[in-house]
């Protein structure tokens, strides 16, 4: 009996790893007729929000996966304007002064664990300064046209890809998937992304 169970387990394992992912279940195709894409590019976009518990729990796995990507795949995060527009502005401000990556997990923690909403400029400037960000540099970026334009572009992409929840992953401007679509598994969602990159 044990031997038969072993054979069944091995066969089942091999089938699960060789199986293709299903359109409409594990991912969906996006209608991008209105968007011109570079056919030679490989790009993954994560739409997320600092307010989102699922984004917070997904972040460590996503970060580890990002570091393993080949050089020909471009990965970027875009903050959605849901709930609090200042969270989106905070994200792009920190990106412009090269401080977002080192504060990413700390912002999740501040908002979701410590109960600091970071909902207005005074709260935000005080918080970032306490984490080593230069106040003047931050304020200049916060008020810059570049940050405002990046916010507008992110929101346009969100609407183009019909993002109505986060976290959500867009692959090559053609496919969409998320942990929620694949049963809540972070690793499976990223295996779907890898599959879609190969599909390209």
């Amino acid at each position: 009996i044990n031997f038969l169970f072993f054979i069944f387990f091995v066969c089942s394992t091999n089938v699960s790893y060789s199986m293709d992912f299903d359109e409409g279940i594990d991912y969906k195709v996006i209608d991008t007729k209105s968007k011109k894409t570079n056919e030679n590019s490989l790009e993954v976009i994560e739409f997320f929000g600092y307010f989102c518990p699922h984004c917070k729990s997904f972040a460590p796995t996503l970060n580890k996966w990002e570091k393993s990507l080949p050089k020909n795949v471009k990965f970027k995060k875009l903050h959605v304007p849901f709930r609090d527009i200042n969270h989106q502005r905070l994200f792009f401000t920190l990106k412009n002064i090269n401080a977002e990556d080192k504060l990413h997990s700390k912002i999740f923690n501040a908002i979701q664990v410590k109960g600091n909403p970071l909902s207005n400029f005074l709260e935000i400037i005080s918080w970032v300064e306490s984490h080593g960000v230069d106040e003047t540099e931050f304020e200049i970026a916060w008020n810059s046209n570049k940050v405002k334009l990046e916010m507008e572009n992110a929101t346009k992409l969100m609407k183009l890809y019909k993002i109505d929840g986060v976290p959500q992953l867009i692959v090559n401007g053609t496919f969409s998937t998320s942990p929620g679509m694949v049963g809540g598994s972070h690793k499976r969602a990223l295996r779907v992304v890898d599959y879609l990159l190969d599909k390209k």
Side-chain angles (χ1 to χ4, degrees):
I1 296 175
N2 289 339
F3 176 76
L4 291 175
F5 175 79
F6 174 76
I7 295 298
F8 174 78
F9 175 79
V10 170
C11 291
S12 298
T13 303
N14 288 339
V15 169
S16 66
Y17 276 94
S18 62
M19 186 184 301
D20 285 344
F21 296 102
D22 295 319
E23 180 184 336
I25 298 175
D26 300 297
Y27 68 92
K28 61 183 179 181
V29 177
I30 306 169
D31 180 8
T32 55
K33 292 179 181 177
S34 62
K35 180 178 172 59
K36 294 181 179 179
T37 58
N38 183 348
E39 292 298 325
N40 297 317
S41 68
L42 291 173
E43 181 183 65
V44 179
I45 302 173
E46 183 211 17
F47 286 90
F48 84 102
Y50 288 137
F51 59 86
C52 168
H54 301 293
C55 299
K56 179 178 181 295
S57 64
F58 188 31
T61 305
L62 186 64
N63 184 55
K64 184 178 180 180
W65 172 83
E66 180 188 355
K67 291 177 180 178
S68 71
L69 286 174
K71 292 182 179 180
N72 65 325
V73 179
K74 181 181 179 183
F75 174 76
K76 64 181 179 181
K77 300 189 294 283
L78 293 178
H79 197 294
V80 294
F82 301 166
R83 297 198 182 185
D84 195 327
I85 193 70
N86 279 337
H87 287 172
Q88 188 190 50
R89 192 171 181 177
L90 169 61
F91 170 77
F92 283 109
T93 299
L94 291 175
K95 287 293 288 183
N96 272 271
I97 60 174
N98 298 314
E100 203 281 331
D101 285 344
K102 69 179 182 180
L103 294 180
H104 193 68
S105 62
K106 293 180 180 179
I107 297 173
F108 277 131
N109 196 57
I111 294 171
Q112 297 187 36
V113 178
K114 296 186 176 179
N116 184 347
L118 299 179
S119 59
N120 62 64
F121 179 73
L122 291 179
E123 289 175 351
I124 290 170
I125 195 72
S126 175
W127 187 88
V128 297
E129 188 179 16
S130 72
H131 286 78
V133 175
D134 182 80
E135 180 180 351
T136 301
E137 183 183 21
F138 181 86
E139 187 168 0
I140 290 172
W142 177 271
N143 292 312
S144 69
N145 288 329
K146 184 179 180 183
V147 164
K148 293 173 184 176
L149 181 60
E150 288 177 350
M151 291 171 66
E152 290 175 6
N153 288 338
T155 301
K156 286 178 182 177
L157 279 179
M158 182 198 76
K159 292 177 180 178
L160 176 67
Y161 297 137
K162 299 178 175 63
I163 304 297
D164 56 7
V166 289
Q168 196 158 334
L169 298 159
I170 304 298
V171 182
N172 297 327
T174 304
F175 306 105
S176 171
T177 189
S178 69
M181 284 188 71
V182 299
S185 170
H186 298 158
K187 291 182 179 179
R188 181 174 174 82
L190 294 175
R191 286 200 295 269
V192 172
V193 173
D194 290 336
Y195 164 80
L196 294 172
L197 287 170
D198 288 341
K199 190 179 180 70
K200 168 73 171 178

